[in-house]
Amino acid sequence: MNLASRLAAVALVSLFATGTAFAQTAAPAAKTDPAATTDKKAPKERSAESLDCSKQADAKGLKGKERKKFRRECMKEAKAGTAAPADKK
């Protein structure tokens, strides 16, 4: 065998070896959590109190930290107001 045929044989063997190495490499499975993907797509339902507090904040033109503080206080008052009649029964 001359040098050219030996190089051709080595190249052919390395081609097959490389092909099988790539064929045996499995692609990593993508982790998909069906519950997580549906939660991100579906917006959370907001309570009537939350919507009312947001409307009040909009009417006052509040933005940023002032809006957040107002909504927090409004929600506390709304929840306290709904819980109080239930205790009186």
Side-chain angles (χ1 to χ4, degrees), residues 3-66:
L3 183 62
S5 57
R6 286 184 186 181
L7 286 176
V10 169
L12 186 61
V13 169
S14 65
L15 179 66
F16 286 126
T18 306
T20 57
F22 285 122
Q24 292 176 354
T25 304
K31 294 182 181 179
T32 55
D33 186 11
T37 56
T38 56
D39 289 348
K40 291 180 181 177
K41 293 179 183 177
K44 294 181 180 179
E45 291 187 28
R46 295 176 57 191
S47 66
E49 294 90 2
S50 175
L51 292 172
D52 188 45
C53 290
S54 289
K55 287 179 184 177
Q56 291 177 23
D58 288 340
K60 292 183 177 187
L62 299 175
K63 302 218 185 257
K65 290 181 181 179
E66 294 91 17

